[in-house]
C-alpha cells in the first residue's frame, strides 16, 4: 500500500534521490550499463533521421551519384554499427538488471538481521515488509522503479539534446522575402511553435499525472487482491497444507472467496475509473499531442513549400521535433511517476528507518579457559511490547557454569520468556541481567551470543545438507558433526542415509532429500547445539517430539552430552528434571520455588502439586 499523504515536490525528490543513492551504491554497474544503453538508444535515431534527410535532399536536388553512394553507405554502416552496439549494451543492461532484481531483497534481509528482535516479530514490521514486496510485485513500485526513472531521464535528456541539434535550422532557415509566406520568418512563429509544444506537453502530462493518482488510490485494494491471489495460487502447491486441503476440501472455501473478491474484475475501482475519468484524461492528453503534431507538420511543410529548405529536410524536422516534444513530455510525466513512487518509498523507508536500539554494546566477552561464567537475573520484570501483562515479575536468580538448572512450571508461566531475555531477544522492562557482574546490554551482541547454544521449542532447520544444518556452516568438521549427531541419538538414522552428512533435509531443493519426522528434527537441532560447543546450553522442551525411548536415551545421556557446560533445561515433564542440581519453579511469571527435586517434593507448593498431578497420571496408567 502507498502512504497516501500527499508529498511536497521537495519530499518527492528527496525520497527518490535517497533510493537512487542506495541502489547506485549497491549496483553501480546497473546504472552504468543502463546509462550507456539509454544514451546510445536516444541518440542513434537522429543519425538515421539526419542521413535519410541528406539522401532525400540529394535525390530531390542535384542527384550526384558519388554523393548519393556516400550517403547510402554512411546510412547503412551507421545503422549496422549502432544496432550492434545497442544490442551489446542492451544485453549487458539486462544482465545487470537481473542480478540486481534478485539481489534487491538483500537490502531488506540485512535490515531484518540487524533489527531488534522485538521489531522483527512486531506485526507492524511484518505488515510494512509485506507491503513493500507487494508494491514491487504489483507494479514495480518502490526501489525497482528507480532504475526505470534513471533510464527515462537519461533517455529523455539525450533525446531532447539530439532533437534540438537537428531542429535549430528549422527556425533559422528563411523563406525568400518575395514569397507570400515570408512572414513565417518572424521569430514570433518560432516562439509560437515552442509555446504550443510546451502547452501540449504540459496538458498531456497533467492528464497523465491526474490519471496516475487513481493508481495510488487503487493500491490498497490491489494490495489485498494480490495477497489473496498469491495465497490462493500457492495453496495447492504447499505440501504442509496438502493433507488438510484434501481432508476438508478447503479449496471450496477459498474458491468462494476468490469469486467474491472484486480487486481485478471489471467492477473493480480501477476498471471503473479507466472507463470514466482516466479514459477521458487519456483521450484529452492524446488529442492535445495530435493537435500539436498537426501544427508542426503544417508549419514545416509550408516552409519547405515556400523554399526555406529542401524537401528532404521536412522528414528531419518533423522527426526531430516530434521526438523533442516526446522527450520533454516524458520528463513532465516523470514528475507524476516520481510523485507516485514517493508514496510507495515512504513505506520502504518507514521500514528501513526502524531504529536499532538493542544491540549497541561493544564489550568483548572474556574467553575464559576455566569457563567461569556467572549469570545473574537481578529483580527482572518483563512485559512483551504492546502487552499490559507482565510475563515475568521480579525474577532474581544466579547460576554458574557447570550447574544444571531446570526450569519448570505450567504453560504460560514465563519459562520461555526467561530464556528469551537471557539471550537478549528482548531486554528486561525492569531490573537487569548480569554476566560476570556486567549488564549483558554492554556486551557486543554477537560475542555475547557466542557463549550460548540454544534449542528453541520452535527451532527451524534448513532444507540443505544434514551436516550443514548441524554445523550451521558450509565448510565444517565432518567428524565433529557426525559425533554430535550420534550423541543426540541420530546415529542409527545417519548410518541408514546413503549420502550421510551430505543428505539434503526435506525435498525443497533436492528430490532425493529426506523427509524427517519431528523427533528426528529435534535430534538434529540438539546436535546443532552440541556442535556449537558453547559454555551454556539451553534446551527448551528438547524431548517434546521424541518417542519415549529416544526421550529416555536423551535423559540418560544428558550428563555426558552436556559435559562441563552449564545446562538450562526447560520442561513441564518433571521426571526429566530430577537429575538437575537446581530446579526453579515458575508460576505466573514469578520464580516461586527453588531447590533440588527432593527438597521441593517434600514441601507443599506448586512443584509438589505438579509432581503429584503427573505422578498420579503415570501411576494410573501404569497400574
Ligand atoms: P511458557 O514458556 O512457560 O509456556 P511463555 O514464557 O511462553 O510461557 O509465556 C509467558 C506469558 O507471556 C504467557 O502469558 C504468554 O501468553 C505471554 N507471551 C508469550 N509470548 C508473547 C508475545 N510474543 N507477546 C505477548 N505475550 C506473550
Amino acid at each position: 500500500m502507498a502512504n497516501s499523504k500527499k508529498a511536497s515536490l521537495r519530499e518527492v525528490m528527496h525520497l527518490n534521490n535517497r533510493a537512487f543513492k542506495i541502489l547506485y551504491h549497491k549496483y553501480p554497474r546497473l546504472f552504468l550499463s543502463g546509462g550507456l544503453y539509454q544514451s546510445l538508444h536516444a541518440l542513434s535515431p537522429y543519425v538515421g533521421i539526419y542521413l535519410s534527410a541528406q539522401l532525400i535532399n540529394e535525390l530531390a536536388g542535384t542527384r550526384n551519384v558519388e554523393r548519393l553512394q556516400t550517403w547510402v553507405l554512411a546510412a547503412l554502416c551507421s545503422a549496422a554499427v549502432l544496432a550492434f552496439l545497442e544490442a551489446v549494451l542492451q544485453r549487458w543492461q539486462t544482465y545487470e538488471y537481473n542480478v540486481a532484481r534478485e539481489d534487491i531483497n538483500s537490502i531488506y534481509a540485512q535490515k531484518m538481521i540487524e533489527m531488534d528482535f522485538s521489531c522483527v516479530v512486531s506485526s507492524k514490521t511484518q505488515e510494512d515488509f509485506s507491503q513493500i514486496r507487494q508494491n514491487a510485485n504489483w507494479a514495480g513500485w518502490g526501489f525497482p522503479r528507480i532504475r526505470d526513472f534513471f533510464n527515462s531521464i537519461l533517455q529523455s535528456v539525450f533525446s531532447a539534446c539530439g532533437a534540438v541539434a537537428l531542429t535549430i535550422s528549422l527556425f533559422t532557415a528563411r523563406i525568400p522575402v518575395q514569397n507570400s509566406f515570408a512572414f513565417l520568418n518572424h521569430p514570433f512563429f518560432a516562439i509560437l511553435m515552442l509555446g504550443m509544444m510546451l502547452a501540449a506537453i504540459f496538458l498531456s502530462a497533467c492528464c497523465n499525472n491526474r490519471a496516475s493518482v487513481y493508481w495510488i488510490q487503487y493500491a490498497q485494494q490491489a494490495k489485498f487482491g494480490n495477497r489473496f491471489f498469491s495465497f490462493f495460487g500457492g495453496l495447492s502447491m504447499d505440501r504442509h497444507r496438502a493433507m488438510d486441503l484434501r481432508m476438508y476440501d478447503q479449496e471450496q472455501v477459498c474458491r468462494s472467496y476468490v469469486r467474491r473478491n472484486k480487486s481485478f474484475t471489471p467492477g473493480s475501482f480501477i476498471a471503473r475509473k479507466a472507463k470514466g475519468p482516466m479514459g477521458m484524461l487519456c483521450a484529452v492528453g492524446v488529442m492535445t499531442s495530435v493537435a500539436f503534431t498537426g501544427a508542426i507538420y503544417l508549419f514545416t511543410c509550408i516552409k519547405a513549400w515556400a523554399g526555406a529548405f529542401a524537401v528532404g529536410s521536412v522528414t528531419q524536422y518533423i522527426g526531430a521535433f516530434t521526438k523533442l516534444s516526446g522527450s520533454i513530455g516524458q520528463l513532465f510525466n516523470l514528475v507524476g511517476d516520481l510523485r507516485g513512487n514517493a508514496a510507495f518509498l515512504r513505506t520502504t523507508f518507514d521500514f528501513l528507518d526502524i531504529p536499532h536500539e538493542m544491540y549497541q554494546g561493544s564489550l568483548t566477552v572474556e574467553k575464559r579457559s576455566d569457563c567461569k561464567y556467572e549469570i545473574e537475573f537481578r529483580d527482572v520484570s518483563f512485559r512483551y511490547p504492546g502487552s499490559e501483562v507482565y510475563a515475568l515479575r521480579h525474577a532474581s536468580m544466579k547460576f554458574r557454569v557447570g550447574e544444571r538448572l531446570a526450569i519448570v512450571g505450567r504453560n504460560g508461566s514465563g519459562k520461555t520468556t526467561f530464556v528469551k531475555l537471557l539471550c537478549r531477544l528482548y531486554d528486561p522492562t525492569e531490573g537487569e541481567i548480569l554476566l560476570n557482574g556486567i549488564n549483558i546490554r554492554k556486551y557486543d551482541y554477537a560475542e555475547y551470543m557466542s557463549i550460548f547454544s540454544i534449542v528453541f521449542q520452535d527451532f527451524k532447520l534448513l532444507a540443505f545438507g544434514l551436516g550443514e544444518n548441524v554445523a550451521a556452516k558450509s565448510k565444517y568438521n565432518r567428524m565433529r558433526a557426525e559425533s554430535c549427531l550420534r550423541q543426540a541419538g541420530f546415529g542409527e538414522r545417519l548410518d541408514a542415509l546413503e549420502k550421510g552428512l551430505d543428505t539434503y533435509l526435506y525435498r525443497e531443493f533436492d528430490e532425493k532429500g529426506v523427509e524427517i519426522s519431528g523427533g528426528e528434527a529435534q535430534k538434529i537441532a540438539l546436535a546443532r547445539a552440541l556442535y556449537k560447543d558453547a559454555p551454556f546450553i539451553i534446551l527448551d522442551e528438547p524431548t517434546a517430539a521424541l518417542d519415549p525411548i529416544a526421550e529416555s536415551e536423551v535423559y540418560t545421556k544428558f550428563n555426558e552430552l552436556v559435559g562441563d557446560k552449564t545446562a538450562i533445561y526447560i520442561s513441564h515433564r518433571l521426571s526429566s528434571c530430577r537429575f538437575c542440581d537446581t530446579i526453579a519453579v515458575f508460576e505466573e511469571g514469578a520464580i516461586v520455588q527453588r531447590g533440588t527435586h527432593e527438597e521441593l517434593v517434600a514441601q507443599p507448593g506448586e512443584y509438589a502439586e505438579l509432581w503429584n498431578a503427573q505422578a498420579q497420571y503415570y501411576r494410573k496408567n501404569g497400574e
Side-chain angles (χ1 to χ4, degrees):
M1 188 189 75
N3 186 331
S4 51
K5 193 179 83 191
K6 197 168 177 351
S8 67
L9 192 60
R10 202 185 141 96
E11 196 194 348
V12 167
M13 297 321 275
H14 169 73
L15 287 167
N16 283 286
N17 189 30
R18 187 175 163 199
F20 169 73
K21 282 188 183 155
I22 292 174
L23 294 182
Y24 181 75
H25 183 69
K26 225 169 147 37
Y27 313 109
R29 284 207 302 263
L30 172 69
F31 292 96
L32 179 66
S33 58
L36 286 174
Y37 171 70
Q38 294 303 333
S39 330
L40 190 73
H41 185 64
L43 289 175
S44 60
Y46 296 113
V47 178
I49 291 177
Y50 175 76
L51 292 174
S52 347
Q54 300 314 310
L55 200 62
I56 298 172
N57 281 345
E58 195 56 48
L59 281 170
T62 53
R63 298 189 185 189
N64 178 306
V65 177
E66 250 173 55
R67 271 204 298 273
L68 275 174
Q69 275 177 347
T70 317
W71 287 126
V72 168
L73 208 64
L76 288 177
C77 290
S78 63
V81 171
L82 288 171
F84 173 74
L85 284 178
E86 263 193 61
V88 170
L89 286 174
Q90 192 182 22
R91 283 196 79 92
W92 183 28
Q93 178 194 243
T94 310
Y95 168 78
E96 295 296 343
Y97 174 66
N98 288 337
V99 170
R101 196 180 50 179
E102 292 303 315
D103 191 68
I104 214 160
N105 280 331
S106 68
I107 299 177
Y108 310 121
Q110 187 59 31
K111 176 71 192 174
M112 281 285 197
I113 286 168
E114 288 167 0
M115 214 183 274
D116 294 355
F117 181 79
S118 53
C119 294
V120 176
V121 293
S122 106
S123 49
K124 160 91 175 72
T125 309
Q126 296 296 330
E127 172 78 354
D128 276 357
F129 183 53
S130 104
Q131 275 177 21
I132 292 169
R133 296 186 71 154
Q134 282 173 40
N135 293 340
N137 291 344
W138 170 46
W141 289 111
F143 275 151
R145 274 288 158 106
I146 297 296
R147 173 250 191 190
D148 299 345
F149 292 152
F150 175 81
N151 285 353
S152 286
I153 292 174
L154 272 193
Q155 230 244 321
S156 309
V157 168
F158 276 97
S159 183
C161 291
V164 167
L166 290 194
T167 322
I168 290 175
S169 54
L170 166 66
F171 299 108
T172 53
R174 301 186 70 77
I175 299 171
V177 279
Q178 62 276 21
N179 191 291
S180 51
F181 282 102
F183 66 91
L184 288 179
N185 289 335
H186 196 279
F188 166 76
F189 287 96
I191 296 168
L192 179 70
M193 292 316 291
L194 286 173
M196 278 175 69
M197 178 184 82
L198 290 179
I201 288 169
F202 183 71
L203 207 76
S204 151
C206 283
C207 293
N208 285 338
N209 289 354
R210 186 74 204 95
S212 71
V213 169
Y214 292 112
W215 282 104
I216 298 174
Q217 290 173 0
Y218 176 54
Q220 176 71 37
Q221 194 187 11
K223 183 195 107 181
F224 179 76
N226 247 320
R227 206 151 119 185
F228 194 73
F229 278 96
S230 50
F231 167 73
F232 184 66
L235 192 70
S236 52
M237 261 82 88
D238 185 347
R239 64 195 173 95
H240 300 297
R241 291 183 178 276
M243 284 202 297
D244 279 351
L245 207 66
R246 276 150 205 247
M247 201 60 71
Y248 297 103
D249 205 5
Q250 287 177 322
E251 210 193 330
Q252 293 298 327
V253 189
C254 298
R255 249 186 217 295
S256 74
Y257 272 90
V258 169
R259 271 197 297 276
R260 272 180 274 157
N261 188 286
K262 299 264 180 275
S263 307
F264 305 120
T265 59
S268 71
F269 171 84
I270 204 72
R272 279 182 281 122
K273 295 293 173 195
K275 272 197 249 168
M278 281 170 87
M280 276 310 288
L281 287 165
C282 242
V284 172
V286 171
M287 269 164 19
T288 333
S289 303
V290 170
F292 163 70
T293 313
I296 196 73
Y297 263 90
L298 196 65
F299 180 73
T300 315
C301 289
I302 293 176
K303 272 193 105 167
W305 177 79
F309 38 76
V311 67
S313 303
V314 172
T315 50
Q316 171 179 327
Y317 294 136
I318 290 179
F321 212 92
T322 318
K323 275 202 160 291
L324 179 65
S325 105
S327 35
I328 298 180
Q330 204 173 335
L331 282 174
F332 266 86
N333 283 335
L334 212 65
V335 177
D337 283 351
L338 285 168
R339 193 181 283 284
N341 201 41
F344 293 94
L345 281 174
R346 271 211 206 106
T347 314
T348 307
F349 288 123
D350 279 353
F351 171 81
L352 291 179
D353 290 341
I354 293 172
H356 316 166
E357 281 160 359
M358 271 178 79
Y359 308 125
Q360 306 291 346
S362 56
L363 279 188
T364 51
V365 175
E366 206 186 338
K367 298 278 179 299
R368 302 185 64 125
S369 51
D370 58 0
C371 274
K372 275 230 155 105
Y373 295 105
E374 185 187 71
I375 294 271
E376 180 180 358
F377 271 61
R378 197 178 279 173
D379 200 18
V380 171
S381 298
F382 177 71
R383 266 184 294 147
Y384 280 96
S387 168
E388 292 297 309
V389 188
Y390 277 90
L392 211 62
R393 298 159 213 258
H394 304 290
S396 291
M397 186 192 300
K398 258 190 195 176
F399 47 93
R400 286 194 189 83
V401 157
E403 282 186 2
R404 310 267 188 270
L405 171 71
I407 298 182
V408 301
R410 300 175 198 231
N411 285 340
S413 58
K415 304 182 296 290
T416 302
T417 306
F418 179 84
V419 172
K420 285 183 178 165
L421 290 177
L422 179 61
C423 55
R424 290 210 66 208
L425 293 180
Y426 298 94
D427 277 336
T429 316
E430 289 151 33
E432 53 181 355
I433 306 169
L434 310 166
L435 169 68
N436 293 348
I438 297 172
N439 191 318
I440 57 172
R441 287 175 192 229
K442 297 196 176 144
Y443 291 104
D444 174 87
Y445 183 64
E447 283 260 333
Y448 178 71
M449 284 312 292
S450 70
I451 63 169
F452 294 103
S453 287
I454 307 169
V455 182
F456 286 109
Q457 264 183 64
D458 51 355
F459 62 87
K460 292 278 179 288
L461 299 174
L462 297 168
F464 295 129
L466 170 62
E468 290 170 322
N469 267 288
V470 172
K473 284 190 191 81
S474 311
K475 290 206 172 91
Y476 58 92
N477 182 331
R478 297 180 71 89
M479 295 239 298
R480 193 160 126 208
E482 200 177 315
S483 126
C484 292
L485 280 166
R486 289 192 192 285
Q487 275 179 291
F490 196 79
E492 261 179 51
R493 183 79 167 94
L494 179 66
D495 293 335
L497 294 174
E498 208 179 298
K499 290 193 183 166
L501 291 174
D502 299 318
T503 310
Y504 267 54
L505 301 185
Y506 314 113
R507 302 231 167 97
E508 263 105 326
F509 301 119
D510 182 358
E511 57 183 30
K512 292 205 178 116
V514 290
E515 288 298 336
I516 45 171
S517 69
E520 287 167 340
Q522 203 157 35
K523 288 177 186 173
I524 298 171
L526 189 60
R528 181 174 63 178
L530 295 174
Y531 187 97
K532 189 172 173 190
D533 196 25
F536 286 86
I537 183 158
I538 303 174
L539 308 173
D540 192 351
E541 295 287 357
T543 57
L546 299 188
D547 59 51
I549 296 176
E551 185 181 22
S552 97
E553 238 174 64
V554 170
Y555 296 148
T556 11
K557 286 207 296 190
F558 193 76
N559 273 328
E560 184 193 320
L561 284 179
V562 171
D564 57 359
K565 299 180 180 74
T566 304
I568 301 178
Y569 186 80
I570 303 175
S571 180
H572 53 241
R573 249 175 263 191
L574 302 197
S575 56
S576 63
C577 305
R578 291 169 73 164
F579 55 82
C580 289
D581 308 323
T582 317
I583 300 170
V585 187
F586 278 61
E587 189 180 3
E588 293 180 4
I591 303 173
V592 288
Q593 286 177 292
R594 238 191 118 167
T596 60
H597 169 73
E598 283 68 28
E599 287 163 4
L600 292 175
V601 86
Q603 52 186 258
E606 176 77 355
Y607 188 84
E609 217 176 291
L610 290 172
W611 174 260
N612 287 328
Q614 284 191 352
Q616 192 183 20
Y617 171 74
Y618 285 120
R619 270 200 299 274
K620 254 188 209 159
N621 287 286
E623 278 163 11

